[in-house]
Amino acid sequence: MTRLTAALFAFLLSAFSVIAQVKRTTSTSTTPYFPDRPKLVVGIVVDQMRYDYLYRYYDKFGENGFKLLITQGFNARNNHYHYAATYTGPGHAAIYTGSAPALNGIVGNDFYDRKLGRILYCTEDTTVRTVGNNGGAGQMSPRNMMVTTIGDQLKLATDGRAKVVGVALKDRGSILPAGHAADAAYWFDSKDGNWITSSFYRNELPAWMKAFNARRLPDEFMQRKWDLLLPADKYTESTTDDQPFEANLPGETKSTFPHEFITVSGQNRYEVLRATPYGDQLTLQCALAAIDGEQLGKDNITDLLAVSFSSPDYVGHAFGTHSVEVEDEYLRLDLQLAELLTELDKRVGKGNWLAFLSADHGAADIPGFSQTYRIPAAVKSFGEVGESVKAALTKAYGPGQWMIGYYNQQIYMNTALLAEKKIPMAEVYALVRATILPQRGVINVVNLHDLSATALPDNQLTMLKNVYQPNRSGDFYVMLQAGWFEGRSKGTTHGTTYAYDTHVPFLLYGWGIKPGQTFHRTAIADIAPTICALLGILEPSGCIGNPVGEAIE
C-alpha cells in the first residue's frame, strides 16, 4: 500500500466513523425522525355544497378563496358519493375514513340499531358528559363509528405525537372527522352560545377555548342582521328573492332580505345564527383559535385540523339551491375561506401545509322551483309510505308491530316477529313492493337482502351495497323518482342516489400537490387514501378507495 493510498484509507475510515456516530446519536435522540411531511393538514368540509356551485358563482369569487384552490391546486371534477345515504353524518365519516356505511357503521344521522332496539343518533354517547356547560349537548363521541380515520392513522404513525382537532357548529361535523384518537373535537351549543366538547376527550375546556368563549362573538352577531353583500341586481345566478317555496328563519314571517335575528323563546337562543353566514365566521374564528391554542403546525410532526362549515346546510335547507340566500352565503363563505388560507400561510408558513376541500352531500332543487321549468319534481308526504305498509301488513298477517319504522328511505321490519310467525322475508318484500310501487313518485322498492335480484344500473346497485349494514340498516329501500323527496312543504333536502346529491367538490392544495384537474370519476372514498399516500402513512382500517395519483407531486 502506497503512502497516498494509506492516507486515503485512513480518511475514509474516519468519515465512516463520524457517520456511524451521527446515526447512533440520531437513533437515541428524544426527537424522533419522521419522513418529509407537511406541518399541518387542514381538512375542510362544506356542508351541503353541490359541485356546480364552484362554477355558478365563480366569477363573483375573490382570488384567494375557492378560486385559489381551483386554479393553483388539484380539482377532481367528477367526484361522487359511492353510497345511498347522502346525509351529514355518513358524509363526514366517509370523507375521513375512506370507507362506506356498510363498514364504518354510520348509515344515517339517526338510524335504528337492532342490537340496542332503538333509534340511535350517529354520535350519541350517554356514557360521557358535556364539557363546557351543564347541558346535555356534549354527550357525544365517535364510538358509534366502527373504523379509523385519517387522524387516527396519523396518531398511530407518530406514536401519538401528532395533534388532531375537529371544529364545526354541528357535533357530528366535528366528532366523526376528528376520529377516535383525537385530542379534541369542539362544537357549538345554541343554548348558551358556547363551544363545548365531551369528557370522551378531556375533563375541562383548555384555557384558549375558555378565552374564545369569553369573547362572546355570538352575542355580537345577534345584534346585527343579514343583508346582501352585493347590490340586489348583481345576484344574477339566483331567482328573485321573494319565492313562495322558500322557508323562513326562526321568528321571521318572510323569506326575504334583510333577515333580522329575532330571539325565539326557549333554550336555543343562538340557533338562528347557524342558518346565516355568521355561523361560518364563528367556525373560522374558532378554527384559528385552535391553531394558536393547540400550537398546530409548530413542529416537525404533522398535525391535523378538521374544519366543517355547517351554515350552508341550514341556509340551503331553508331557501333552496337557486336562492339569493344561498348565493350570498357562498360569496361570504369564499371570504372566510380566503381568510383561513391566508392565515395558514402566516401561522404555519407558505408551502408547509396541505389542505383538501369537499362536501358531505349535495342537495335537490326545490320541487316548486323545478316545476317552473317543467322538470318533473314533487313532494311526497312523509307518512305516505310507512302508513300504507303498516296497513297492508296488518291486513295480511293480523294485528302486530310488523314494521319497526321508516328511516332514511328504508323500511325496518320486525325480523324477530317475522321469524316467530315463520313468515319469509321474500314474501314480505313482495307484499311491501306491491303496496308501495304504485304510489306517486316511487320508481323502485329494493330488497336489501337480495340486491343481486334487483334490476338497476350498476352504480346504483353499488351505492345500495355500500350503505347496507345488517345491524343498522333497513330491509327494503324505497327509491323515489329523481326530483322527488319526502316531508318538506318548503325548502329542500338531500339523501338520494342522484347526481344532485352525490356530485360534490374534491379540491387539493398546498404541500405535495401537483396543480391540475381530472375528469375521471373519483369517489369520496378516494379522499382519505390520497391524503394518507401523501403523508406516507397507512390508510384507515375500513378504507375502500384509491389514491388520486394525478394530484400528487
Side-chain angles (χ1 to χ4, degrees):
M1 181 183 295
T2 67
R3 194 176 307 172
L4 181 60
T5 303
L8 179 60
F9 180 78
F11 171 77
L12 291 174
L13 193 62
S14 175
F16 284 129
S17 177
V18 169
I19 291 170
Q21 179 61 37
V22 169
K23 285 186 175 181
R24 284 194 296 273
T25 303
T26 302
S27 65
T28 58
S29 170
T30 56
T31 303
Y33 169 75
F34 293 102
D36 185 28
R37 292 174 183 160
K39 290 186 175 183
L40 179 64
V41 176
V42 181
I44 304 167
V45 177
V46 182
D47 203 320
Q48 199 185 122
M49 184 176 186
R50 292 201 326 197
Y51 165 79
D52 59 314
Y53 293 170
L54 284 177
Y55 294 97
R56 192 194 304 172
Y57 309 133
Y58 186 86
D59 289 342
K60 291 190 174 74
F61 288 148
E63 298 300 319
N64 298 313
F66 286 111
K67 273 188 182 179
L68 181 68
L69 301 183
I70 293 170
T71 60
Q72 298 185 37
F74 188 87
N75 186 0
R77 298 186 63 173
N78 192 20
N79 186 62
H80 286 261
Y81 270 90
H82 52 294
Y83 57 80
T86 43
Y87 304 109
T88 297
H92 283 83
I95 289 169
Y96 282 86
T97 64
S99 189
L103 297 177
N104 66 37
I106 306 301
V107 300
N109 293 335
D110 302 273
F111 46 84
Y112 185 82
D113 188 299
R114 296 183 188 275
K115 289 183 177 180
L116 296 177
R118 65 176 179 85
I119 291 293
L120 183 68
Y121 177 60
C122 61
T123 53
E124 171 191 337
D125 189 347
T126 57
T127 70
V128 299
R129 62 176 177 83
T130 304
V131 174
N133 63 31
N134 296 319
Q139 288 191 292
M140 306 287 170
S141 83
R143 285 193 172 112
N144 297 325
M145 184 166 59
M146 299 173 176
V147 299
T148 62
T149 63
I150 299 170
D152 293 336
Q153 295 302 140
L154 188 57
K155 280 281 190 180
L156 293 172
T158 61
D159 287 327
R161 294 178 177 89
K163 292 181 180 178
V164 178
V165 177
V167 171
L169 293 180
K170 294 182 181 181
D171 47 49
R172 57 188 181 272
S174 175
I175 292 168
L176 298 173
H180 305 274
D183 296 272
Y186 299 100
W187 56 96
F188 184 71
D189 192 344
S190 297
K191 182 186 74 171
D192 61 4
N194 280 328
W195 288 79
I196 62 173
T197 189
S198 150
S199 59
F200 176 86
Y201 303 101
R202 57 179 70 210
N203 293 319
E204 186 178 1
L205 287 181
W208 68 263
M209 181 56 86
K210 291 179 180 178
F212 181 73
N213 281 334
R215 291 170 59 185
R216 300 309 304 165
L217 289 178
D219 289 314
E220 178 185 330
F221 294 145
M222 287 291 289
Q223 301 303 312
R224 305 180 187 179
K225 61 183 179 180
W226 178 16
D227 213 339
L228 291 171
L229 179 67
L230 304 176
D233 62 359
K234 299 296 184 184
Y235 289 80
T236 52
E237 290 71 36
S238 306
T239 59
T240 55
D241 192 24
D242 191 8
Q243 296 293 336
F245 43 73
E246 295 179 358
N248 301 329
L249 293 183
E252 291 189 341
T253 58
K254 59 182 179 61
S255 60
T256 57
F257 282 97
H259 293 287
E260 309 280 352
F261 298 153
I262 301 169
T263 301
V264 181
S265 60
Q267 294 188 340
N268 295 324
R269 166 178 164 79
Y270 302 95
E271 183 71 12
V272 67
L273 291 178
R274 294 175 181 266
T276 75
Y278 293 120
D280 298 326
Q281 289 193 43
L282 278 171
T283 303
L284 170 66
Q285 294 305 315
C286 185
L288 294 178
I291 291 173
D292 291 341
E294 298 289 347
Q295 292 290 288
L296 301 179
K298 298 299 184 183
D299 56 26
N300 69 323
I301 302 171
T302 303
D303 300 322
L304 172 67
L305 174 65
V307 184
S308 180
F309 289 100
S310 307
S311 288
D313 186 64
Y314 293 99
V315 176
H317 273 298
F319 300 103
T321 57
H322 288 263
S323 64
V324 177
E325 281 83 1
V326 163
E327 182 171 353
D328 195 71
E329 158 66 25
Y330 274 91
L331 298 184
R332 292 179 180 272
L333 177 60
D334 183 58
L335 298 176
Q336 304 304 314
L337 180 60
E339 183 176 345
L340 173 60
L341 302 181
T342 299
E343 289 299 320
L344 287 170
D345 277 347
K346 292 178 181 177
R347 302 180 190 211
V348 183
K350 191 174 181 63
N352 290 329
W353 53 273
L354 162 67
F356 66 88
L357 183 147
S358 192
D360 54 351
H361 53 75
D365 293 334
I366 298 178
F369 168 81
S370 297
Q371 290 163 9
T372 65
Y373 289 90
R374 299 184 297 277
I375 294 172
V379 176
K380 191 175 177 65
S381 65
F382 187 72
E384 197 171 335
V385 168
E387 293 307 313
S388 63
V389 170
K390 287 178 183 177
L393 291 166
T394 300
K395 182 178 179 180
Y397 303 122
Q401 190 189 7
W402 302 104
M403 188 180 93
I404 291 172
Y406 177 54
Y407 317 107
N408 306 323
Q409 295 179 243
Q410 298 172 46
I411 296 171
Y412 288 72
M413 299 302 303
N414 188 336
T415 53
L417 182 58
L418 292 175
E420 178 188 332
K421 301 296 183 180
K422 299 181 179 179
I423 302 174
M425 187 65 74
E427 177 185 316
V428 177
Y429 167 64
L431 173 63
V432 169
R433 191 172 194 273
T435 301
I436 301 174
L437 201 56
Q439 288 187 4
R440 62 194 190 95
V442 176
I443 198 170
N444 212 333
V445 181
V446 179
N447 185 354
L448 293 174
H449 299 279
D450 190 14
L451 286 170
S452 61
T454 303
L456 279 174
D458 289 343
N459 69 321
Q460 299 281 314
L461 281 175
T462 297
M463 290 181 189
L464 291 171
K465 288 178 181 178
N466 284 340
V467 84
Y468 181 62
Q469 210 285 334
N471 286 316
R472 293 179 175 181
S473 294
D475 299 286
F476 313 132
Y477 185 90
V478 180
M479 183 173 288
L480 300 182
Q481 182 180 330
W484 284 66
F485 56 74
E486 296 172 294
R488 281 181 177 267
S489 59
K490 293 188 175 184
T492 191
T493 191
H494 46 84
T496 73
T497 60
Y498 295 112
Y500 50 74
D501 282 341
T502 66
H503 195 179
V504 297
F506 175 24
L507 301 170
L508 289 153
Y509 175 83
W511 186 95
I513 299 303
K514 180 170 59 179
Q517 63 180 6
T518 182
F519 288 95
H520 294 139
R521 191 178 181 100
T522 58
I524 287 295
D526 297 333
I527 296 176
T530 301
I531 301 303
C532 290
L534 281 159
L535 299 181
I537 64 176
L538 192 67
E539 63 271 25
S541 57
C543 183
I544 60 173
N546 295 292
V548 181
E550 305 100 303
I552 299 175
E553 191 78 67

